[in-house]
Amino acid sequence: MHQRSYKTIVALAVCAVAGALVALAAMALAGLEMGRAILVGVLAGALAYVLRLMSSIFGERGRMIAWVTEQDRTLPELTERPLRMEQNVTALISELTAEQARKTAALTAELGLLRTMMERLASEGRFGARGGAAGASGDGAGEGERAATDIAALLRSALRESRVDLYLQPIVRLPNRKVVHYEALSRLRDEEGRVFTPSDYLGEAAEAGLVSLLDNLLLFRSINLIRKLGPRRPGVRLFCNMSAASLADETFMTELAEFLGQQPELPGRLVFEVAAGDLEWLPESAVERLETLARLGFAFSVDNVTDVSALDSTRLARLNVRFLKMDAAVFLNAPIGAPRETLAETLEHQGVTLIITRIETDRTAAEVVELGAACGQGYLFGAPRPGRGVAAPPPDVASASSAPGA
């Protein structure tokens, strides 16, 4: 039986008991005969049940009125909800479409810059075969000459076939060795998958005038990785090297500044790294082009610093230099133009972080920490690892690794 049936039975039983009690009271108190007393009891029970029924009816009516009122109140909201959902979906589609259009435009701009550089180099004959038949003269060619020819051929084929890869090396906070940034490095692959480091090919690249193109490929691969990283791991920056050849290329630097000016997400992620020697001899016109990048919000790092006192503080400020890199051997043993015990702290007060590079042993790490260095880089904390095809850099705590390889 349903719950409502149980309630009805209980109500009838209660009314019957009430009628019986009334009948007994009529007999005892009023002195009525049994028949009349029973009649009075039945009437009293019936009256009690009628009153209970009326109370239930009015209660149900009140609940019905409340339900109808609630439906009247929520109906407009239910009607508006699909409309709001449609508006939200439309807005989301528009946002995704705009984001895709922005990414497409950015990629088109990147490819345009690279194409311009490739066409300019091709027009200058830098992708043609090298002069001389060193590789074909047989007995007349020396081993060094043949090796140079092989590297030149590797370099050109790697550039044509997109076998220039992005590698990442961690920069860590000392002494806890937590990864805070990464330096972007380039590697070449031959057709058999063998990897070549810059020491293998930079000489040939400089002789062939291809260093700028290598820099540009590395830069755009770095930008692509930054986009994949998205909002994850905020504060982590990617250091990207710029050679003297790139810095002196007025056409490319102008186009680069125009492109980067349309990428608001990059200044907080990308750091341009320049060698101290290149910065020292950079003409004012090139410094002004770099200053344009600084005004866009990009920070700079100066690498291979050997004498802090030789740095032009005004130029550093103009270029928004936020990092100085110094070799561990130089920092620990050579004259550096400033007290080494307080150098890191002094630079920190000026908003510049000192990064000690080429740290390859725990002993060296302990010595630079004792002198107050806040950041370090080197094979002790991690060898360069491929960044190709990953959505995020390697784990954020560096561990000791093997000694540097080739």
Side-chain angles (χ1 to χ4, degrees):
M1 298 176 67
H2 296 294
Q3 185 178 6
R4 186 177 297 274
S5 300
Y6 282 118
K7 290 183 177 180
T8 301
I9 293 172
V10 170
L12 288 171
V14 170
C15 291
V17 170
L21 292 176
V22 170
L24 291 175
M27 290 175 60
L29 299 177
L32 295 177
E33 297 177 359
M34 181 179 294
R36 291 184 177 181
I38 291 173
L39 180 59
V40 171
V42 170
L43 292 174
L47 179 61
Y49 184 76
V50 170
L51 292 175
R52 187 265 174 195
L53 188 61
M54 292 179 63
S55 174
S56 176
I57 291 172
F58 282 116
E60 192 69 27
R61 180 177 178 273
R63 284 191 293 273
M64 183 63 71
I65 292 173
W67 181 84
V68 171
T69 303
E70 178 66 16
Q71 296 309 305
D72 288 341
R73 186 183 66 82
T74 59
L75 185 58
E77 181 179 349
L78 293 174
T79 305
E80 293 174 2
R81 189 175 299 173
L83 179 60
R84 288 202 302 270
M85 291 179 63
E86 182 180 355
Q87 292 172 342
N88 291 338
V89 169
T90 302
L92 180 59
I93 292 174
S94 299
E95 182 178 346
L96 291 175
T97 302
E99 177 67 13
Q100 186 61 40
R102 190 189 67 79
K103 289 182 177 180
T104 301
L107 181 59
T108 301
E110 292 171 15
L111 293 176
L113 282 175
L114 290 175
R115 185 173 61 252
T116 299
M117 177 64 69
M118 295 283 282
E119 290 173 350
R120 188 158 66 248
L121 293 177
S123 67
E124 295 171 2
R126 300 186 192 181
F127 279 104
R130 279 187 61 136
S137 59
D139 296 337
E143 288 297 326
E145 202 170 357
R146 284 197 297 272
T149 302
D150 290 343
I151 290 296
L154 165 67
L155 185 61
R156 287 172 171 80
S157 66
L159 287 169
R160 287 194 195 99
E161 300 168 20
S162 192
R163 285 188 273 106
V164 181
D165 297 330
L166 170 68
Y167 274 59
L168 302 176
Q169 185 173 34
I171 299 170
V172 305
R173 177 73 62 188
L174 296 175
N176 63 15
R177 303 189 182 185
K178 178 181 174 63
V179 175
V180 289
H181 306 297
Y182 292 89
E183 180 173 355
L185 304 166
S186 64
R187 296 288 188 268
L188 298 188
R189 280 180 295 115
D190 65 11
E191 294 176 349
E192 299 177 1
R194 290 175 296 185
V195 177
F196 294 80
T197 64
S199 61
D200 297 321
Y201 58 78
L202 273 186
E204 280 295 316
E207 184 178 342
L210 299 175
V211 175
S212 293
L213 184 55
L214 287 170
D215 285 350
N216 301 335
L217 286 171
L218 182 65
L219 172 61
F220 291 127
R221 279 164 171 71
S222 300
I223 291 173
N224 186 49
L225 181 64
I226 289 171
R227 290 194 177 123
K228 289 181 179 179
L229 187 60
R232 288 170 292 174
R233 300 182 65 183
V236 172
R237 295 186 175 191
L238 207 59
F239 286 56
C240 194
N241 287 276
M242 299 186 76
S243 67
S246 294
L247 298 175
D249 191 328
E250 180 179 358
T251 301
F252 174 75
M253 291 301 298
T254 301
E255 293 173 348
L256 178 64
E258 182 178 349
F259 165 71
L260 293 177
Q262 301 170 10
Q263 315 300 318
E265 76 280 9
L266 294 181
R269 289 290 202 179
L270 188 63
V271 176
F272 292 106
E273 189 159 288
V274 182
D278 294 339
L279 184 62
E280 181 180 359
W281 297 107
L282 209 59
E284 180 61 24
S285 58
V287 174
E288 290 175 356
R289 290 193 289 272
L290 293 182
E291 194 174 4
T292 301
L293 299 181
R295 284 195 296 268
L296 292 174
F298 290 94
F300 280 78
S301 171
V302 180
D303 193 13
N304 298 327
V305 175
T306 57
D307 185 354
V308 178
S309 63
L311 297 174
D312 185 338
S313 58
T314 302
R315 181 167 288 189
L316 297 184
R318 288 173 60 190
L319 298 183
N320 192 30
V321 172
R322 288 292 172 260
F323 304 91
L324 293 184
K325 285 188 173 183
M326 183 177 289
D327 189 293
V330 174
F331 181 60
L332 294 175
N333 304 311
I336 57 175
R340 69 185 84 250
E341 296 83 1
T342 59
L343 176 59
E345 183 180 0
T346 301
L347 291 174
E348 203 68 40
H349 286 320
Q350 299 171 4
V352 178
T353 299
L354 177 64
I355 301 173
I356 304 302
T357 61
R358 299 194 181 185
I359 299 177
E360 298 175 4
T361 67
D362 287 309
R363 179 177 178 180
T364 302
E367 290 176 350
V368 299
V369 167
E370 187 175 352
L371 290 173
C375 290
Q377 180 180 353
Y379 277 80
L380 177 66
F381 310 122
R385 295 175 53 185
R388 181 180 65 255
V390 298
D396 69 351
V397 177
S399 58
S401 65
S402 59

